[in-house]
Amino acid sequence: MLVLGIETTCDETGAALVEDGCRIRADCVLSQIPLHERFGGVVPEIASRAHVQTITRVLERALGTSAFGGSSPAAGGESGSSGSPVDLVAVAHRPGLIGSLLVGVTAAKCLALAWDVPLVGVDHVHAHVYAAALRASPPFREPPEDIFPAVSLVVSGGHTALYLTRSWTAHSRIGTTQDDAAGEAFDKAAAILGLGYPGGPAISKAAEGGDPRAVPFPRTLLDPESLDFSFSGLKTALLYHARGQNAGRSSPLRPGLDVADAAASFEEAVVDVLIEKLRRAMRRERVETAIVAGGVAANRRLRERLEEFARAESVRVLRPDLPLCTDNAAMTAGLGCRLWREGVRHDLALEAQPATVP
Ligand code: KG4
Ligand code: ZN
């Protein structure tokens, strides 16, 4: 079964072709980073307009690089066995920026109608988890099935959540953030330190030359049993460290500030909290497998610490391949295929939903 996946939840326009839920035939992502960079964050109106401008090109590229020999179906390319180029259209229809979501959902409906193929809406946060079932490049393999129940930790720019995961399609949320998402905290920390956007990679790069124990930033763990997260205290501590007590974001950086030490210490504090919450969740749920996904799962220090954690606790930690940590449409197509096979059906009444569903 060949599935076209469409991703437009935030600031990446993505289209991918995935066969049988695991073999990636094409995966195209057009990032809007250059458009949002000078604002230090995603501007929703700019994001939705950019999706409108680029979605057709991204779709054509995904379709053209697969079985169509360079010609898109719209241009009269070869068709699949049923007369349509794919068997199913899957789209990330929640959660996300409403204007951005609408572009992907509308494109998906148009294609499903024009090609007369079914349509499935996919939860973007669940799709991040499914990215760990995929390989970014050949050799591809069937997703592992012997890992459930597992605990999933999704850490991205818009979401930080822990799930009890019973299968690749069944997730119950057991923890979430009370304020910023982990990726958002990285983005704001980079802005505080005068580093670039997006903040995660910028902090990570600056941290390479720093000492992670140089600044004793707080680790907010909330109640001893809590599986929720809070990063606002850490963010304020970094602001005061970088720009002075009670400083604002536009106050100048403190003379003599060691940016590398501050970045490394901030990164270590975030990673400490993520690992501790993951440990708590796995112990509480008595599971032996963790899946850690989302943009922040690309973080080098987090990946190192997860390896140490897996060894120390004798557990298994799955993470997506690096290119599949951040937003992409391959994970949407893959999960869409699974959902379809499990009987999930949507039609042209499918709605874009900005809010997270528990
Ligand atoms: O999953 P994603 O592409 O989009 C959302 O669904 O939100 O995640 C983007 C987030 C950004 O906040 C970015 O700063 C963060 O992931 N990120 C990282 C790294 N690469 C991306 N954070 C820490 N370290 C990284 N290497
Ligand atoms: Zn995402």
Side-chain angles (χ1 to χ4, degrees):
M1 175 177 227
L2 190 63
V3 181
L4 171 67
I6 300 178
E7 153 62 40
T8 62
T9 57
C10 187
D11 62 338
E12 256 105 25
T13 316
L17 285 180
V18 175
E19 199 176 6
D20 296 331
C22 61
R23 286 185 293 283
I24 300 175
R25 296 298 179 213
D27 186 13
C28 301
V29 181
L30 193 67
S31 170
Q32 299 178 2
I33 286 172
L35 297 179
H36 301 290
E37 212 165 15
R38 66 192 168 106
F39 301 103
V42 177
V43 182
E45 290 78 7
I46 293 178
S48 42
R49 186 177 310 184
H51 285 305
V52 171
Q53 286 165 342
T54 55
I55 184 81
T56 312
R57 193 149 43 94
V58 173
L59 282 164
E60 282 182 350
R61 204 182 302 165
L63 292 162
T65 54
S66 64
F68 304 106
S71 60
S72 72
E78 195 182 318
S79 293
S81 54
S82 63
S84 68
V86 298
D87 302 302
L88 175 73
V89 177
V91 60
H93 77 119
R94 70 167 192 229
L97 301 171
I98 185 64
S100 295
L101 286 167
L102 278 169
V103 179
V105 169
T106 305
K109 286 181 184 176
C110 290
L111 292 175
L113 183 66
W115 293 338
D116 194 22
V117 293
L119 172 74
V120 165
V122 166
D123 183 295
H124 173 74
V125 187
H126 298 173
H128 270 300
V129 178
Y130 193 81
L134 300 171
R135 286 279 161 268
S137 52
F140 299 119
R141 55 129 173 81
E142 294 288 323
E145 304 294 338
D146 59 344
I147 57 170
F148 303 111
V151 161
S152 300
L153 171 64
V154 179
V155 272
S156 72
H159 319 280
T160 293
L162 277 162
Y163 296 93
L164 176 61
T165 295
R166 298 191 187 280
S167 77
W168 289 112
T169 56
H171 310 278
S172 319
R173 203 171 65 193
I174 52 175
T176 188
T177 182
Q178 296 183 343
D179 39 58
D180 292 340
E184 193 180 359
F186 270 101
D187 293 335
K188 289 177 178 169
I192 289 169
L193 293 175
L195 303 168
Y197 172 84
I203 291 274
S204 197
K205 190 161 192 323
E208 275 171 27
D211 175 1
R213 282 169 302 278
V215 191
F217 286 130
R219 274 73 170 153
T220 307
L221 296 172
L222 306 170
D223 297 338
E225 303 292 311
S226 172
L227 298 179
D228 288 336
F229 301 84
S230 169
F231 295 106
S232 63
L234 171 61
K235 194 181 59 190
T236 305
L238 176 72
L239 176 67
Y240 292 174
H241 173 78
R243 298 182 185 251
Q245 201 61 30
N246 298 321
R249 285 187 174 211
S250 49
S251 310
L253 286 174
R254 229 171 12 84
L257 171 75
D258 189 318
V259 173
D261 279 354
S265 301
F266 174 87
E267 182 177 63
E268 198 70 8
V270 174
V271 171
D272 273 348
V273 170
L274 297 179
I275 300 263
E276 174 55 23
K277 296 289 171 164
L278 186 62
R279 183 193 329 271
R280 282 184 189 180
M282 292 182 77
R283 286 192 178 164
R284 192 184 89 177
E285 303 297 340
R286 296 197 173 86
V287 303
E288 290 171 2
T289 305
I291 302 169
V292 182
V296 179
N299 183 270
R300 189 189 46 81
R301 185 66 185 137
L302 177 59
R303 291 173 90 93
E304 275 171 17
R305 291 281 308 278
L306 284 171
E307 274 172 31
E308 289 168 22
F309 168 75
R311 271 196 304 275
E313 302 270 321
S314 299
V315 295
R316 189 168 163 191
V317 179
L318 301 185
R319 298 154 309 177
D321 289 348
L322 273 182
L324 296 173
C325 286
T326 44
D327 287 349
N328 65 85
M331 63 190 193
T332 312
L335 181 55
C337 183
R338 278 286 172 134
L339 290 168
W340 167 261
R341 285 179 169 169
E342 291 179 12
V344 174
R345 303 286 184 267
H346 291 128
D347 58 23
L348 298 183
L350 180 73
E351 285 185 349
Q353 296 171 6
T356 306
V357 174

Coordinates of all heavy atoms in Angstrom, one line a residue, residues 9 124 128 156 159 327 331, ligand 2:
T9 N 1.9 21.2 10.0 CA 1.4 21.6 11.3 C 2.0 22.9 11.8 O 1.4 23.6 12.6 CB 1.6 20.5 12.4 OG1 3.0 20.2 12.5 CG2 0.9 19.2 12.0
H124 N -0.3 14.6 14.9 CA 1.1 14.9 14.6 C 2.0 14.4 15.8 O 3.1 14.0 15.5 CB 1.2 16.4 14.4 CG 2.6 16.9 14.3 ND1 3.4 16.7 13.2 CD2 3.4 17.6 15.2 CE1 4.6 17.3 13.4 NE2 4.6 17.8 14.6
H128 N 5.1 11.7 15.6 CA 6.5 11.8 16.1 C 7.0 10.5 16.7 O 8.1 10.0 16.5 CB 6.6 12.9 17.1 CG 7.0 14.3 16.5 ND1 8.1 14.5 15.7 CD2 6.3 15.4 16.5 CE1 8.1 15.7 15.3 NE2 7.1 16.3 15.8
S156 N 9.4 18.3 21.5 CA 9.5 19.1 20.3 C 9.3 20.6 20.6 O 9.3 21.0 21.7 CB 8.5 18.6 19.2 OG 7.2 19.0 19.6
H159 N 5.5 20.7 21.7 CA 4.9 19.7 22.6 C 6.0 19.0 23.5 O 7.1 18.8 23.0 CB 4.3 18.5 21.8 CG 3.5 19.1 20.7 ND1 2.2 19.6 20.8 CD2 3.8 19.2 19.4 CE1 1.8 20.0 19.6 NE2 2.8 19.8 18.7
D327 N 10.1 17.7 12.2 CA 8.9 17.5 11.5 C 9.2 17.0 10.1 O 10.0 17.5 9.3 CB 8.1 18.9 11.4 CG 7.5 19.2 12.7 OD1 7.5 18.3 13.6 OD2 7.0 20.3 12.8
M331 N 6.6 10.2 8.7 CA 6.0 9.7 9.9 C 4.5 9.8 9.8 O 3.8 8.9 10.3 CB 6.5 10.4 11.1 CG 6.2 11.9 11.2 SD 7.2 12.7 12.6 CE 6.3 14.3 12.7
Ligands
ZN2 ZN 6.5 18.2 15.3

